[in-house]
Amino acid sequence: MQNKIACHLEEIATYAGATLVGDKNKMIHGLNTLANATVDDISFLSNNVYESLLATTHAGCVILLPEDQKLFAGNKLTTNNPYYTFAKVSELFTILSPASGEVHASVVFGSSCQIASDVDIGANVVIGANVTIGHGATIYAGCYIGDSTVIGDNVILYPNVCIYGNTLVGDNTVIHSHVVVGSDGFGFAPTGDGRGSWQKVHQLGGVKIGSNVEIGAGTTIDRGALDCTIIADGVKLDNQIQIAHNVRIGENTAIAACTAIAGSTSIGKRCTIAGSVGIVGHITIVDDVHITAMTMVSKSINKVGSYSSGTPLNETVKWRKNAARFNRLDSIVRNL
Amino acid sequence: MQNKIACHLEEIATYAGATLVGDKNKMIHGLNTLANATVDDISFLSNNVYESLLATTHAGCVILLPEDQKLFAGNKLTTNNPYYTFAKVSELFTILSPASGEVHASVVFGSSCQIASDVDIGANVVIGANVTIGHGATIYAGCYIGDSTVIGDNVILYPNVCIYGNTLVGDNTVIHSHVVVGSDGFGFAPTGDGRGSWQKVHQLGGVKIGSNVEIGAGTTIDRGALDCTIIADGVKLDNQIQIAHNVRIGENTAIAACTAIAGSTSIGKRCTIAGSVGIVGHITIVDDVHITAMTMVSKSINKVGSYSSGTPLNETVKWRKNAARFNRLDSIVRNL
Amino acid sequence: MQNKIACHLEEIATYAGATLVGDKNKMIHGLNTLANATVDDISFLSNNVYESLLATTHAGCVILLPEDQKLFAGNKLTTNNPYYTFAKVSELFTILSPASGEVHASVVFGSSCQIASDVDIGANVVIGANVTIGHGATIYAGCYIGDSTVIGDNVILYPNVCIYGNTLVGDNTVIHSHVVVGSDGFGFAPTGDGRGSWQKVHQLGGVKIGSNVEIGAGTTIDRGALDCTIIADGVKLDNQIQIAHNVRIGENTAIAACTAIAGSTSIGKRCTIAGSVGIVGHITIVDDVHITAMTMVSKSINKVGSYSSGTPLNETVKWRKNAARFNRLDSIVRNL
């Protein structure tokens, strides 16, 4: 099921900036792990745990550290960062299907749009008024782009992405299917009518998404209440993440699936946040923080480090007993 | 990036039902916080924490309590509920882009639909048979409305909303992009074949959504198994919430993002449920309950109050030690 | 709001393989619970808790165990698995609306597709090149099917489903609205540039979904990095589940809403996983495991059984005191 493209090892080495030791004319047709690679595949060693596989792999070439090259008799690419080099090589073996190869006849444009001449827009895309789309952008079928939104160069919007009006999307950013950008933040004021009813706080801000951002399928990013929600350059967001209004996420922070970030929270640069984390609103997390899976972040994090919460997996019958003790923990300790 | 509309202060005071103290002809062009407001903006004070900002704000007008009016020298609107008044004023400064301004030529209708004369329906909307759409409704591009569904007056469906058949949506309700209403509830009976296979329980109920409801992007609401799933008037649902079959949510309850509610659970009126909460099936939560973020609700809540679960944030190395103790907590206490 | 279809009891008994005791010509118009059934409805007893309702129910027929038949005076169907039989009968009372009843004129096809003659494809569906769609498939409006994807016989894709290229969907599989299958897995290699930037690992694998699978609204399933993500035959996935790249889920496993499974994890057959569970990557869960709601699964599960984590619901003021003790639990125990 993989896309198969053929490259000479010499071409691969040059593209990835690695040193070729072996047959420069060797043809490579795909990428794979050491365990599964065939003679047509290139593989990599980035973790010593897998070192023993070098003796048995069928890979036609292995990417590894210079100091490891004696461990493999076949063709190799040496580099100081084998996993990065492997990732770089993966670019050569991916094919982006065209959205339609042109602007499909069914695309609907509002007035006063500025669309670069070389964009590729699929069927049934609907584009509002005053929208700008940059060079080389690919907009797949069924996307919606609201009024006055600006889409940068080389952006990819996969099918059925919805971007409301007044959004900026930076160059080279990739947004997967069913992402929503610019929906209303959750803002309601109690009317004080005694029945608990709410007055909507209309959400008048926008969303600014930087360059080289990737946003996974089904993620939602709300527009700001007054200012903008901001996703900085290089941020990587996995699937089904929720970003509330006025959140700010710093450069190159990566967040795994199903994490939710409440309103007005600010997250630093280079953070790595695991999946299903919950982060409350109106707090600040500094740069270079790591948060483990399913953690509840209920206060600001002011110091670099790794943070967690929760209780560990257990058999249900044992868990139930421990959990019952937890609910009396304070009185147990008081009575010691 | 804000929509800018101009209003006289007199017009704003009348619209919001507040008392104007100052220049009735002053033009206001936007809303902002005390810290960020310009001379063209209106702002508000609803929390004494920000009182000192009244001395330095550039706001052209501030909404505040009558007893606070001496704290601000400029134009002001006095009211007993400044945040509500601010929210009300926000209505004057929002613009709803048209879906197409008419019924777009690409809209597909099934047979026997009753569509009010003044609806605004965007491109590529697909509407089933026997659908009713009320006056003043706005249906954005790419929405789907299944057979026999009824959409009330002034409803807004943002792009790519999917509403299956046999759904009622009340007047003035707003549904954001990628919401799904009426998908099948998760119902399967073990076949008893010894291989663990399942027989689908076909989901024959519908969904009833009241008036003045708001539903955030990516939320899913399943149809009932036999009866209906019910979202009462005035309920506010944030993004990526999951409402299973036969759930009932009472009037004016507000639920934050990523909360999941399992089947047949009934939630009272005026509850406020924070984000990423999990609520098991077949339980009842009474009126006026508050639940904090990421809480697991595994039993009925019969008493008004605030409820929580979970453990607090900690550095991972410290958390790991405490968590290990948790898993032996029952035996530790037994041995005391 | 229910679909109403009429069947004779004899027809129902034959279809469901149950024994009819009573009037074979009795007409049944719907299904309902014992409490709510009218004389036109069929109901069931599968839990002795509801036995007393047999004395008062208005149901026109009740499905029950042979040994319980003396408890109900009216028409009955006897069977060894009443809930399964009820589920089977539900098939007779559901109606699938046509997508368009044909291939709608607005459908866009890429080159070299193989589409069975009897498929029903709704408006604005966009289909890539080399796509195969089997007999009896129903593809609702607004779906997207990428290049080289194969859709089996009798598959149902509800509106706005997105299936990227190189996906296999087995026969009789049902996929609800806004599901995304085949989006990129979350794979990025640190570039080592000192600024924390990331190089995308292009995702070259596909997704294989078996037969008789059901996938709930808003669920996302990523394509594999090199190999495929695999959902085996008979798997049932509820709404808003996240399946990361290279996950494997075994036959007939059922997973409730909002559960997230990280990359390369393998889950056995016949597991039942409750809602909002988080499962970390690169672990293995054996067959026949049950996991309770909101559990964090941070290590492999090698033994059949039921597993849990978390702390129980409590009033917030009490919870706060216990939670504070949790964060000092290790030192409390050390000091005992």
Side-chain angles (χ1 to χ4, degrees), chain C:
Chain C
M1 308 252 299
Q2 254 177 255
N3 297 311
K4 287 284 180 188
I5 306 158
C7 290
H8 291 101
L9 269 185
E10 184 171 37
E11 181 187 356
I12 293 174
T14 303
Y15 185 78
T19 303
L20 170 60
V21 181
D23 175 6
K24 70 180 182 181
N25 293 317
K26 165 73 182 172
M27 293 296 288
I28 296 294
H29 295 260
L31 287 76
N32 221 323
T33 56
L34 288 171
N36 295 331
T38 71
V39 69
D40 293 330
D41 292 330
I42 188 166
S43 189
F44 70 106
L45 176 73
S46 70
N47 185 331
N48 284 343
V49 168
Y50 300 109
E51 201 177 284
S52 64
L53 293 174
L54 290 178
T56 53
T57 185
H58 298 110
C61 178
V62 175
I63 304 167
L64 36 59
L65 291 169
E67 56 264 39
D68 287 340
Q69 63 179 299
K70 60 185 177 302
L71 302 174
F72 183 64
N75 301 306
K76 44 223 162 199
L77 297 187
T78 66
T79 161
N80 291 320
N81 191 343
Y83 187 50
Y84 164 73
T85 300
F86 183 75
K88 190 78 187 162
V89 171
S90 74
E91 281 185 346
L92 290 173
F93 290 82
T94 189
I95 301 170
L96 189 69
S97 297
S100 75
E102 56 183 353
V103 175
H104 192 273
S106 59
V107 177
V108 174
F109 290 100
S111 56
S112 307
C113 291
Q114 293 184 276
I115 311 295
S117 56
D118 60 349
V119 299
D120 175 10
I121 309 186
N124 306 324
V125 170
V126 177
I127 296 174
N130 304 308
V131 168
T132 300
I133 302 182
H135 284 289
T138 302
I139 316 290
Y140 282 92
C143 287
Y144 173 88
I145 302 174
D147 294 354
S148 303
T149 281
V150 175
I151 305 289
D153 294 349
N154 304 312
V155 164
I156 301 171
L157 304 186
Y158 281 100
N160 289 7
V161 166
C162 278
I163 302 188
Y164 285 50
N166 290 315
T167 302
L168 298 180
V169 179
D171 296 343
N172 310 311
T173 285
V174 174
I175 304 183
H176 281 277
S177 284
H178 289 169
V179 165
V180 179
V181 178
S183 41
D184 283 355
F186 198 59
F188 298 92
T191 63
D193 69 348
R195 297 177 47 243
S197 74
W198 302 94
Q199 163 66 40
K200 181 174 177 68
V201 182
H202 288 269
Q203 303 289 302
L204 305 174
V207 180
K208 290 185 187 167
I209 296 173
S211 298
N212 303 306
V213 170
E214 185 149 344
I215 305 177
T219 284
T220 53
I221 302 176
D222 281 344
R223 65 194 314 98
L226 296 166
D227 300 326
C228 284
T229 303
I230 296 177
I231 312 295
D233 293 350
V235 167
K236 308 299 179 189
L237 301 179
D238 198 354
N239 297 356
Q240 296 198 50
I241 288 171
Q242 151 69 359
I243 309 284
H245 49 183
N246 300 103
V247 165
R248 289 160 176 259
I249 302 181
E251 265 183 43
N252 295 322
T253 282
I255 305 180
C258 300
T259 284
I261 305 173
S264 300
T265 279
S266 178
I267 296 178
K269 300 174 182 176
R270 299 175 301 276
C271 293
T272 50
I273 302 178
S276 298
V277 167
I279 303 179
V280 302
H282 298 274
I283 66 170
T284 299
I285 296 175
V286 297
D287 297 345
D288 298 301
V289 164
H290 176 65
I291 301 174
T292 63
M294 291 187 88
T295 293
M296 167 170 57
V297 182
S298 50
K299 58 180 181 185
S300 288
I301 298 179
N302 302 311
K303 215 177 75 179
V304 172
S306 177
Y307 296 84
S308 302
S309 79
T311 77
L313 189 72
N314 207 339
E315 293 171 43
T316 301
V317 285
K318 295 179 182 167
W319 167 77
R320 202 172 278 134
K321 289 176 187 169
N322 295 321
R325 298 291 184 183
F326 176 89
N327 257 5
R328 295 192 298 272
L329 191 56
D330 183 57
S331 69
I332 290 168
V333 176
R334 281 177 191 279
N335 290 332
L336 283 179

Side-chain angles (χ1 to χ4, degrees), chain B residues 106 108 124-126 142-144 147 160-162 164 166-168 177-180 183-208 218-223 225-228 240-244 258-260 276-280 290-292 294-301 303 306-314 318-319 321-323 325-327 329 332 336, chain C residues 1-3 30-33 36 44 50 81 83-95 97-99 104 106 123-124 140-142 158-160 174-178 214 216-218 233-241 251-258 269-273 275-276 292-296 299 309-320 322-331 333-334 336:
Chain B
S106 59
V108 174
N124 307 322
V125 169
V126 177
C143 287
Y144 173 88
D147 293 356
N160 289 6
V161 166
C162 278
Y164 285 49
N166 290 314
T167 301
L168 299 180
S177 284
H178 289 168
V179 165
V180 179
S183 40
D184 283 354
F186 198 59
F188 298 92
T191 63
D193 70 347
R195 296 177 47 242
S197 74
W198 303 94
Q199 163 66 39
K200 181 174 176 70
V201 182
H202 288 269
Q203 304 289 300
L204 305 174
V207 181
K208 290 185 186 167
T219 283
T220 53
I221 302 176
D222 281 344
R223 67 195 312 97
L226 296 167
D227 299 327
C228 285
Q240 296 196 50
I241 288 170
Q242 152 69 359
I243 310 285
C258 299
T259 284
S276 299
V277 167
I279 303 179
V280 303
H290 176 65
I291 301 174
T292 63
M294 292 187 88
T295 292
M296 168 169 57
V297 182
S298 49
K299 57 181 182 185
S300 288
I301 298 179
K303 213 177 78 181
S306 177
Y307 295 85
S308 302
S309 79
T311 77
L313 189 73
N314 208 340
K318 294 180 181 168
W319 168 77
K321 289 177 187 170
N322 294 321
R325 298 291 184 185
F326 176 90
N327 257 4
L329 192 55
I332 291 168
L336 282 179
Chain C
M1 308 252 299
Q2 254 177 255
N3 297 311
L31 287 76
N32 221 323
T33 56
N36 295 331
F44 70 106
Y50 300 109
N81 191 343
Y83 187 50
Y84 164 73
T85 300
F86 183 75
K88 190 78 187 162
V89 171
S90 74
E91 281 185 346
L92 290 173
F93 290 82
T94 189
I95 301 170
S97 297
H104 192 273
S106 59
N124 306 324
Y140 282 92
Y158 281 100
N160 289 7
V174 174
I175 304 183
H176 281 277
S177 284
H178 289 169
E214 185 149 344
D233 293 350
V235 167
K236 308 299 179 189
L237 301 179
D238 198 354
N239 297 356
Q240 296 198 50
I241 288 171
E251 265 183 43
N252 295 322
T253 282
I255 305 180
C258 300
K269 300 174 182 176
R270 299 175 301 276
C271 293
T272 50
I273 302 178
S276 298
T292 63
M294 291 187 88
T295 293
M296 167 170 57
K299 58 180 181 185
S309 79
T311 77
L313 189 72
N314 207 339
E315 293 171 43
T316 301
V317 285
K318 295 179 182 167
W319 167 77
R320 202 172 278 134
N322 295 321
R325 298 291 184 183
F326 176 89
N327 257 5
R328 295 192 298 272
L329 191 56
D330 183 57
S331 69
V333 176
R334 281 177 191 279
L336 283 179

Side-chain angles (χ1 to χ4, degrees), chain A residues 11-79:
Chain A
E11 182 188 354
I12 293 174
T14 302
Y15 185 78
T19 303
L20 170 60
V21 181
D23 176 6
K24 71 181 183 181
N25 293 317
K26 165 73 183 173
M27 292 296 289
I28 295 295
H29 295 258
L31 287 76
N32 221 322
T33 57
L34 288 172
N36 295 331
T38 71
V39 68
D40 292 330
D41 292 332
I42 188 167
S43 188
F44 70 107
L45 177 73
S46 70
N47 185 330
N48 284 343
V49 169
Y50 300 109
E51 200 178 286
S52 65
L53 291 173
L54 290 178
T56 54
T57 184
H58 297 110
C61 180
V62 175
I63 303 167
L64 36 58
L65 291 168
E67 57 265 39
D68 287 339
Q69 63 178 298
K70 61 185 176 303
L71 302 175
F72 183 64
N75 301 305
K76 46 224 161 199
L77 298 187
T78 66
T79 163

Side-chain angles (χ1 to χ4, degrees), chain B residues 12-231:
Chain B
I12 293 173
T14 303
Y15 183 79
T19 303
L20 170 60
V21 181
D23 176 5
K24 70 180 183 181
N25 293 317
K26 165 73 182 172
M27 293 296 289
I28 295 296
H29 295 260
L31 288 76
N32 221 324
T33 56
L34 288 171
N36 295 331
T38 71
V39 69
D40 292 329
D41 292 331
I42 188 167
S43 189
F44 70 108
L45 176 73
S46 69
N47 185 330
N48 284 343
V49 169
Y50 300 108
E51 200 177 285
S52 64
L53 292 173
L54 290 177
T56 54
T57 185
H58 298 108
C61 179
V62 175
I63 304 167
L64 36 58
L65 291 168
E67 57 264 39
D68 287 339
Q69 63 179 299
K70 61 186 176 302
L71 301 174
F72 183 63
N75 301 305
K76 45 223 162 200
L77 297 186
T78 66
T79 162
N80 291 320
N81 191 343
Y83 187 50
Y84 164 73
T85 300
F86 182 75
K88 190 78 186 161
V89 171
S90 74
E91 281 184 347
L92 290 173
F93 290 83
T94 189
I95 302 168
L96 189 69
S97 297
S100 75
E102 56 183 353
V103 176
H104 193 273
S106 59
V107 176
V108 174
F109 290 101
S111 57
S112 307
C113 291
Q114 293 184 276
I115 311 296
S117 58
D118 60 348
V119 299
D120 174 11
I121 309 186
N124 307 322
V125 169
V126 177
I127 296 174
N130 304 307
V131 168
T132 300
I133 303 181
H135 284 290
T138 303
I139 317 289
Y140 282 92
C143 287
Y144 173 88
I145 302 174
D147 293 356
S148 303
T149 281
V150 176
I151 305 289
D153 293 348
N154 304 313
V155 164
I156 301 171
L157 304 185
Y158 281 100
N160 289 6
V161 166
C162 278
I163 302 188
Y164 285 49
N166 290 314
T167 301
L168 299 180
V169 178
D171 296 343
N172 309 312
T173 284
V174 175
I175 304 183
H176 281 277
S177 284
H178 289 168
V179 165
V180 179
V181 178
S183 40
D184 283 354
F186 198 59
F188 298 92
T191 63
D193 70 347
R195 296 177 47 242
S197 74
W198 303 94
Q199 163 66 39
K200 181 174 176 70
V201 182
H202 288 269
Q203 304 289 300
L204 305 174
V207 181
K208 290 185 186 167
I209 297 173
S211 297
N212 302 307
V213 169
E214 184 148 345
I215 304 177
T219 283
T220 53
I221 302 176
D222 281 344
R223 67 195 312 97
L226 296 167
D227 299 327
C228 285
T229 303
I230 297 177
I231 312 294

Side-chain angles (χ1 to χ4, degrees), chain A residues 2-334:
Chain A
Q2 252 176 260
N3 297 310
K4 287 286 180 186
I5 306 159
C7 290
H8 291 100
L9 270 185
E10 184 171 38
E11 182 188 354
I12 293 174
T14 302
Y15 185 78
T19 303
L20 170 60
V21 181
D23 176 6
K24 71 181 183 181
N25 293 317
K26 165 73 183 173
M27 292 296 289
I28 295 295
H29 295 258
L31 287 76
N32 221 322
T33 57
L34 288 172
N36 295 331
T38 71
V39 68
D40 292 330
D41 292 332
I42 188 167
S43 188
F44 70 107
L45 177 73
S46 70
N47 185 330
N48 284 343
V49 169
Y50 300 109
E51 200 178 286
S52 65
L53 291 173
L54 290 178
T56 54
T57 184
H58 297 110
C61 180
V62 175
I63 303 167
L64 36 58
L65 291 168
E67 57 265 39
D68 287 339
Q69 63 178 298
K70 61 185 176 303
L71 302 175
F72 183 64
N75 301 305
K76 46 224 161 199
L77 298 187
T78 66
T79 163
N80 290 321
N81 192 342
Y83 187 51
Y84 164 73
T85 300
F86 182 75
K88 190 77 187 162
V89 170
S90 74
E91 282 185 346
L92 290 172
F93 289 83
T94 190
I95 301 169
L96 189 69
S97 297
S100 74
E102 55 185 353
V103 175
H104 193 274
S106 59
V107 176
V108 174
F109 289 99
S111 57
S112 307
C113 291
Q114 293 184 278
I115 311 295
S117 57
D118 60 348
V119 299
D120 175 11
I121 309 187
N124 307 323
V125 169
V126 176
I127 297 173
N130 304 308
V131 168
T132 300
I133 303 181
H135 285 289
T138 302
I139 316 291
Y140 282 92
C143 288
Y144 173 87
I145 302 174
D147 294 355
S148 304
T149 281
V150 176
I151 305 289
D153 294 348
N154 304 313
V155 164
I156 301 172
L157 303 185
Y158 281 100
N160 288 6
V161 166
C162 278
I163 302 187
Y164 285 50
N166 289 316
T167 302
L168 299 180
V169 179
D171 297 343
N172 309 312
T173 284
V174 174
I175 304 183
H176 280 277
S177 283
H178 289 169
V179 165
V180 180
V181 178
S183 40
D184 282 355
F186 198 60
F188 299 92
T191 63
D193 68 349
R195 298 178 46 244
S197 74
W198 302 94
Q199 163 66 40
K200 182 174 176 68
V201 182
H202 289 269
Q203 304 288 301
L204 306 174
V207 181
K208 289 184 186 168
I209 296 173
S211 298
N212 302 306
V213 169
E214 184 148 344
I215 304 177
T219 284
T220 53
I221 303 175
D222 281 345
R223 66 193 315 97
L226 296 166
D227 299 327
C228 284
T229 303
I230 297 177
I231 312 294
D233 293 348
V235 167
K236 308 299 179 189
L237 301 178
D238 198 354
N239 296 356
Q240 296 197 50
I241 288 170
Q242 152 69 358
I243 309 285
H245 49 183
N246 299 105
V247 165
R248 290 161 175 258
I249 302 181
E251 265 182 44
N252 295 322
T253 282
I255 305 180
C258 300
T259 284
I261 305 172
S264 300
T265 280
S266 178
I267 296 178
K269 301 175 183 177
R270 297 175 302 276
C271 294
T272 51
I273 301 179
S276 298
V277 167
I279 304 179
V280 303
H282 297 275
I283 66 170
T284 299
I285 296 175
V286 297
D287 298 344
D288 298 301
V289 163
H290 176 65
I291 301 174
T292 63
M294 291 187 88
T295 293
M296 168 170 55
V297 182
S298 49
K299 57 181 180 183
S300 288
I301 298 179
N302 303 311
K303 214 177 76 180
V304 173
S306 177
Y307 295 85
S308 302
S309 78
T311 78
L313 189 72
N314 208 340
E315 294 171 43
T316 301
V317 286
K318 294 180 181 168
W319 167 77
R320 203 171 278 135
K321 289 177 186 170
N322 295 321
R325 297 292 183 182
F326 175 89
N327 257 5
R328 296 192 297 273
L329 192 55
D330 183 56
S331 69
I332 290 169
V333 175
R334 280 177 192 280

